[in-house]
Every structure is written in structure tokens, then in C-alpha cells.
Amino acid sequence: MCGIIGYIGEKNATPILIEGLKRLEYRGYDSSGIGIISSGSHQLIIRKAPGKICDLESLIRSDHVPAASLGVSHTRWATHGAPNRVNAHPHSDSLRKIVIVHNGIIENYASLKKTLQAKGYKFVSETDTEVVAHLLRENLKKDLISAFRKTINQLKGSFALGVISQDHPDMLLAARIGSPLIIGVGKNENFIASDVPAILNQTKRVIYLKDEEFAVIRKDKIDVYDFAGKKVPAKITTVTFKLDAVEKQGYAHFMLKEIHEQADVLKQMLNSRVSNDHVHLDGLALSEKQIKGIKNIMIVACGTAYHAGLVGKYIIEKLANIPVAIDVSSEFRYRDPILDKSTLVVAISQSGETADTLAAVKEAKAKGAKILSIVNAVGSSLTRESDGVLYTHAGPEIGVASTKAYTAQLCMLYLLALKLGSIKKTLSQKEIRRFIKDLKSIPHLYHKILKHKQSIAAMAKDNSHFGCFLYLGRNINYPSALEGALKLKEISYIPAEGYAAGEMKHGPIALIDEYRAVVCIAVESPTYEKMISNIQEILSRKGKIIAIATEGDKTIQDHAHHVIYIPATNPLLTPLLTAIPLQLLAYYIAVNRGCDVDQPRNLAKSVTVE
């Protein structure tokens, strides 16, 4: 949650900070602010505003904020205190000489606040962040760096911090534990940011700050230390994706652009991971002997990644004959799971910073399990906690509602299942060859579906007035129903539920009437006839049916008010295809309702708090 960007150099910091915030707005957007040290007088200036970045930009413009070569800024997803000007970041100490921006949670803020209040410190906000500003002031005697190190060692929780001081206009401080923070390396200028897109138009050279590391950053020098104060090497990585990856390129929304990018993402993944009908999973970090010793698999994930994991359960059990259990990451620890060296834990996360998934992985490691992560973000926290990492390389996903990250996760799970099945000898080479051929056809089939997006848009317009939706699927497309419902509720705010269609008679059927739309995933599969029976039960209760069916199925037209067709494919691969119309349907319904598709209310892209 929340986005941080800081700058030190020779340029005017303010426009760089504002532009960076706009590129981080997917991380939180209920309030924002900047803190700068003016170039001439070294005056500390703070400007904060509730609402989106444009509101802060207007305030800065109207106040004629002077030029500055040092500053920090923040866009907020509220955790402590309402989203208003007072609670917005940056926060300052009582002398208004130190400015702090913060992402994450300070778990011991209450006890620290009580101690500081007893010493006479006055608090003006409801945030945990303000504690850090006052604590740094309390620890500051002569040396700001030593005071900063002492302060971060007194904090408990998950945090990324950016700090500037009026008394030290040549220095930008940064620290992280559990929350992402990178350093951008320029020429006579340097940056900090929560994510690469914030600084991609300034530099492609970055340092991924590791957990329990802090940095002292000047315009021409970067020193990185561990929390004990020992200097550590700072590896500079060159970012490979281009600036246009974080721009709309003519699309109305990032979400629509990212829906269209899915064909290229999967094509690139398959080209790099499959050759001569063999799957190459660089980063798997498991020998054939270890794979043969796997007795069960546990998948942990949250939200959309959890739905990908559910599909993974079906395909791994089907193709590799390995029992698979799956947990929502936030619940994993509480049931005291039974794990050992024969268990492979697969953690799935787009950002690699999902707090609950990280906590689940640490629990699994403590119990002796091997950890394999499926991650999009290179250098993220989850990758450092894992024995093996399979990068999806889907590129930056700016829309808060996940699209291309989801189908990339699915594709990686199919490849993992094929790899396991090959080594476990549950699949013949002929079966693997045929499956790979079908998988490689998916990007082309995506283009076929997208050619008919306007008919889906028209369908969405006809159904956007419904107050609630039910999504039904069976077998491997039950998770597709869950994901379709999640997409709709995320961006249109329409209550939507996903159910296994066989469960409809066990409760949800009571909700069906002429005021509810029901999306039925009725693609060609062994459960097709049962889905038709479910559809007939819905029709008899006047529910309005939108069916997703396989091309050539004329029967479905007699049972549904609207039909979205997908091309025929291997039934096991249909979740990859059904994802596209489900995403488009949610997108166009949200647009019709006037919703902010890329930045839905109350959500943030990276959930870094538990």
C-alpha cells in the first residue's frame, strides 16, 4: 500500500515528485503530499491534500511553491486515521525540521507514542507514521544518520521510510523492512521509490534495497548499511522494460491496455520457457530427485492469485498426480499446517510484497518445507524468502484489478504441472507434446476473442443496471467464476458472488429472480450437460443469463439471454480463455456505470499490510 518517491540532485524536485506520484497512484490514492527543502533559503515546505494527485498538483500550483533540489512525496492508502489533509504524508517533527514519508505499519506505535507524549511531544494526526518523526527528533543529538539508525531499530512492523531534514539539505535517508523500496541511480541525482514505474522516465538503473537495510543518499553518492550500521555492497540492476509499459498508449484505461497485452505476455513466456516440446523452468531450484520426492503441494496466495492457485490445484493433480491443497495466505498460519521436507509450498503473488503471503511462507520455511514462488516483480521480498523463483515477466501492471498478471500466473502453473508430470512420468512425451501445442495456440485465440470485444461491450451495457450478479462454473472453471465475480465487484462495486454451479441448490438459488444477472461458464467440457441443467433451473426462476460458451455451440442460444463465445481448445486450458471475456465484461460494466476503472475505491495494488 501507499507510494513513496524522493529526489536529491540538481533539478527542480517538485515536478519529478508529482510525476512519480502519478505513476504510483495505483498503490493508494486517498490523499497525497510533498515535503521539500527549497534551493535558496533551505526552507522546509510541506503541502498535503486529500483526494487524488491532481488535487495536490493544483494546490502546489496555486501556492507558487519555490524550486527545490531535495524532497520526498507520498500517495496514501489509509491504514491509521481517515483520509484527510492532517493524516496525509509527509509528517514532521515538533520543530518542523524533519520530514518523513512511510509505507507499511508501525506495530509498536502505541507504546512509542505513549512514551513520547510523556516527554512532552504533541501529536496532531491519527497516524502511526507521526511517531517516527517525533522519535527521530528525540534520538537526534548531533548526527542525523546515527539517530536514524537508532530510530529504525526501535520500530517493529513492516515499513519503508524516506526522510529529509532542513538541517541536512545534502542528504536523503531511506530504510525498509517488509515493504518495498528501491533507489534510482542517476548522474548527479538519485531517487527513492516504492516501485520502478515512478522513476522509469528518469533512470533505468536501480538498487533494490533489501530487508533491514538503510541508505544514505546524496546527489553523487549512495551508501547502504544494514540495521547494525555495517556497510553492505549495493548492486545496481538495469531495468529492462520500457517507459511505454507504464503508459496508456491510447487506451482509455490501463486495465483495457493490460487486457490486450495478455497475448504478448503469454507468447513471450512460452517462447522463453518451451523449446523442442520440453519445458524449461529456470529458477525452479529443484533437482529431479527432489521433484520425485514431493509427496504433496501446498499453494498459498491472496485474491486473484488465490484463484490462479485454485486452477493450479486442478491441473497439477490432473497432470502430475500430486495431491494439492490451497490456502488463503491470511488463514494459513492459524490452522498450524502439517508440513515437512516432502511438501512443496508454492506461493503466488504479483508484487512479491503481499504481507500475508510472506508471513505464510515464513511459517512454511520454519516447518521445513521447500518454497517455490511465482512472482511478477523482480527483486521483491518474496523472492528472497524462496528456494526457487519462477518469474512471470508480465511487465508492470498499473490497473489495480489484476488481468495480465492473472493469466501469466495461470500459464506458469500449466508449465509447472507439465514439468512435474514429465519428471514424475505421469505424462507421456506424446501427451506433453500435444498439450504444449494447445498451450501455444492460446495467444492467437486471445486475438480472436478481442476482435469481438464490442459485442461484449454492448452486452455489458444491456446488463449494467443489475444490482447483483452470480457467477457459476464447474470443475476447472469454478475458479474462473470466482475470479469473474471478483473483477466485477472490484471495479463496478456491484455485489457479485462466484460459486461452484453444483452448490447453487444449496443456498444461492434463493437469490435468483428477475433482478439478478447470472454469468454461467458453460464451455465444452465433461460437465457441460450439468451446466445446462443449472441454466434451466435459473431460467425457471427468471434469472437473466449471460453464458460463456464454446464456438459452434448452438444449443446454448436456446437457454441464455446473451452468449459470449470463446474458441474451442483443450478443456483443461479453458480458464485461460474464459478470463478474457470475464475481464472485458467487468470492464465495460464499470465504464457504463461511470466508475474509476484503474483506481477503484478503497483498493490498492500491493497489499503490504496484514
Side-chain angles (χ1 to χ4, degrees):
M1 315 286 198
C2 306
I4 289 170
I5 179 168
Y7 175 82
I8 184 168
E10 298 176 346
K11 299 174 185 173
N12 185 10
T14 301
I16 293 172
L17 297 177
I18 293 297
E19 180 62 25
L21 286 184
K22 289 178 179 177
R23 295 182 185 275
L24 288 176
E25 203 163 12
Y26 63 90
R27 298 182 64 89
Y29 34 83
D30 56 36
S31 57
S32 59
I34 66 167
I36 57 173
I37 308 294
S38 64
S39 297
S41 62
H42 292 163
Q43 178 186 1
L44 173 61
I45 299 167
I46 298 174
R47 293 293 183 271
K48 305 193 287 186
K52 298 195 174 183
I53 309 301
C54 58
D55 299 310
L56 175 65
E57 190 174 22
S58 297
L59 175 64
I60 290 169
R61 191 181 302 114
S62 64
D63 282 359
H64 304 291
V65 171
S69 56
L70 172 64
V72 290
S73 58
H74 187 274
T75 180
R76 184 173 185 244
W77 187 86
T79 54
H80 289 76
N84 55 35
R85 189 192 63 79
V86 173
N87 290 329
H89 298 215
H91 290 281
S92 64
D93 68 317
S94 53
L95 300 180
R96 285 185 65 83
K97 288 193 172 186
I98 296 171
V99 167
I100 287 180
V101 289
H102 162 228
N103 179 19
I105 296 286
I106 307 300
E107 293 177 356
N108 60 334
Y109 85 98
S111 60
L112 290 172
K113 183 176 181 178
K114 186 176 181 180
T115 300
L116 289 165
Q117 285 176 322
K119 292 183 177 183
Y121 287 91
K122 306 295 182 183
F123 287 76
V124 296
S125 77
E126 303 168 274
T127 69
D128 54 341
T129 306
E130 192 181 355
V131 166
V132 185
H134 292 308
L135 184 61
L136 183 54
R137 168 55 60 189
E138 172 67 14
N139 291 331
L140 181 58
K141 306 305 177 187
K142 293 182 179 180
D143 182 356
L144 179 63
I145 298 173
S146 297
F148 184 59
R149 183 167 70 85
K150 181 178 180 180
T151 299
I152 58 180
N153 277 290
Q154 290 176 275
L155 304 177
K156 294 179 181 178
S158 167
F159 57 82
L161 297 171
V163 176
I164 60 173
S165 168
Q166 185 176 4
D167 294 332
H168 299 81
D170 63 340
M171 185 189 306
L172 169 62
L173 301 177
R176 70 153 288 182
I177 180 168
S179 289
L181 198 65
I182 64 168
I183 301 169
V185 183
K187 186 176 180 180
N188 290 323
E189 61 181 1
N190 292 304
F191 312 80
I192 62 169
S194 295
D195 204 354
V196 172
I199 58 172
L200 196 56
N201 61 333
Q202 304 291 338
T203 182
K204 289 190 173 184
R205 302 173 70 226
V206 301
I207 297 168
Y208 292 96
L209 207 60
K210 297 177 182 178
D211 267 354
E212 297 192 24
E213 287 185 349
F214 73 94
V216 179
I217 304 164
R218 295 178 173 85
K219 69 177 184 179
D220 54 1
K221 187 180 181 184
I222 299 169
D223 293 313
V224 179
Y225 304 86
D226 62 23
F227 274 25
K230 180 182 177 181
K231 193 170 183 180
V232 296
K235 179 184 176 183
I236 298 176
T237 301
T238 300
V239 176
T240 55
F241 58 80
K242 299 177 181 177
L243 184 60
D244 59 12
V246 295
E247 294 179 340
K248 291 180 183 175
Q249 294 181 287
Y251 287 95
H253 299 91
F254 278 110
M255 183 178 178
L256 186 60
K257 171 179 174 276
E258 288 156 6
I259 289 172
H260 279 76
E261 288 175 341
Q262 290 174 106
D264 289 338
V265 169
L266 263 60
K267 186 176 181 180
Q268 180 180 336
M269 182 185 295
L270 293 169
N271 285 343
S272 64
R273 296 287 191 176
V274 180
S275 65
N276 299 321
D277 295 325
H278 289 278
V279 175
H280 307 284
L281 294 185
D282 296 337
L284 183 60
L286 290 170
S287 67
E288 286 199 12
K289 182 179 179 181
Q290 287 174 315
I291 289 174
K292 288 176 181 177
I294 295 172
K295 293 182 179 178
N296 55 79
I297 291 174
M298 171 65 70
I299 297 175
V300 291
C302 300
T304 287
Y306 173 75
H307 298 154
L310 280 172
V311 177
K313 172 181 168 63
Y314 282 96
I315 58 178
I316 292 171
E317 290 187 340
K318 181 73 172 177
L319 300 182
N321 200 27
I322 302 173
V324 179
I326 180 164
D327 263 297
V328 175
S329 298
S330 57
E331 290 296 319
F332 178 76
R333 291 166 289 162
Y334 304 127
R335 64 178 182 82
D336 193 19
I338 300 171
L339 306 169
D340 57 31
K341 292 180 180 179
S342 67
T343 303
L344 175 65
V345 172
V346 179
I348 309 173
S349 171
Q350 189 284 135
S351 68
E353 303 292 348
T354 310
D356 288 313
T357 301
L358 282 165
V361 162
K362 290 174 182 177
E363 173 82 6
K365 284 182 72 175
K367 290 178 177 287
K370 280 278 186 182
I371 309 297
L372 173 67
S373 61
I374 296 176
V375 183
N376 188 33
V378 176
S380 53
S381 297
L382 183 56
T383 65
R384 291 190 287 275
E385 294 288 342
S386 304
D387 299 298
V389 181
L390 297 177
Y391 283 114
T392 55
H393 293 301
E397 191 179 61
I398 306 302
V400 167
S402 183
T403 51
K404 64 177 181 175
Y406 172 66
T407 48
Q409 289 163 355
L410 289 184
C411 189
M412 188 61 77
L413 286 162
Y414 282 107
L415 294 175
L416 177 60
L418 287 171
K419 185 72 172 180
L420 297 174
S422 173
I423 293 173
K424 290 269 193 178
K425 304 299 183 185
T426 57
L427 294 172
S428 68
Q429 195 56 43
K430 183 179 179 181
E431 288 172 319
I432 292 171
R433 190 181 304 115
R434 186 185 306 121
F435 200 95
I436 286 174
K437 181 181 178 182
D438 292 338
L439 190 55
K440 283 187 171 182
S441 72
I442 296 296
H444 171 69
L445 300 183
Y446 277 0
H447 291 301
K448 289 186 69 175
I449 296 171
L450 289 167
K451 283 181 180 177
H452 302 287
K453 67 180 180 181
Q454 290 308 318
S455 65
I456 298 175
M459 214 173 291
K461 187 175 182 180
D462 290 342
N463 291 276
S464 59
H465 63 284
F466 284 106
C468 50
F469 277 69
L470 179 65
Y471 285 70
L472 299 176
R474 282 182 179 266
N475 194 12
I476 201 164
N477 275 301
Y478 159 50
S480 301
L482 295 174
E483 176 61 12
L486 178 62
K487 282 293 147 288
L488 185 70
K489 73 180 83 171
E490 280 181 319
I491 62 174
S492 74
Y493 319 136
I494 298 174
E497 295 179 279
Y499 262 89
E503 287 292 292
M504 183 181 68
K505 293 186 288 292
H506 297 276
I509 199 168
L511 299 173
I512 294 173
D513 56 25
E514 65 269 31
Y515 304 109
R516 176 180 286 265
V518 185
V519 179
C520 296
I521 303 172
V523 295
E524 182 182 339
S525 73
T527 61
Y528 175 78
E529 296 299 334
K530 288 182 171 60
M531 280 302 306
I532 293 298
S533 296
N534 292 134
I535 289 172
Q536 290 171 335
E537 290 164 349
I538 296 164
L539 283 173
S540 68
R541 289 158 179 83
K542 299 182 181 180
K544 299 298 184 289
I545 293 173
I546 301 170
I548 297 178
T550 304
E551 283 179 353
D553 181 359
K554 304 300 181 185
T555 303
I556 195 73
Q557 295 177 356
D558 298 329
H559 304 290
H561 300 88
H562 301 280
V563 181
I564 303 172
Y565 285 108
I566 64 169
T569 189
N570 183 327
L572 285 176
L573 292 172
T574 51
L576 280 167
L577 293 187
T578 57
I580 306 299
L582 290 171
Q583 292 167 1
L584 287 170
L585 184 65
Y587 170 78
Y588 285 118
I589 288 175
V591 169
N592 269 294
R593 292 168 68 92
C595 300
D596 190 338
V597 173
D598 286 336
Q599 297 173 356
R601 69 189 183 200
N602 301 334
L603 297 181
K605 188 68 180 173
S606 179
V607 184
T608 58
V609 294
E610 295 181 50

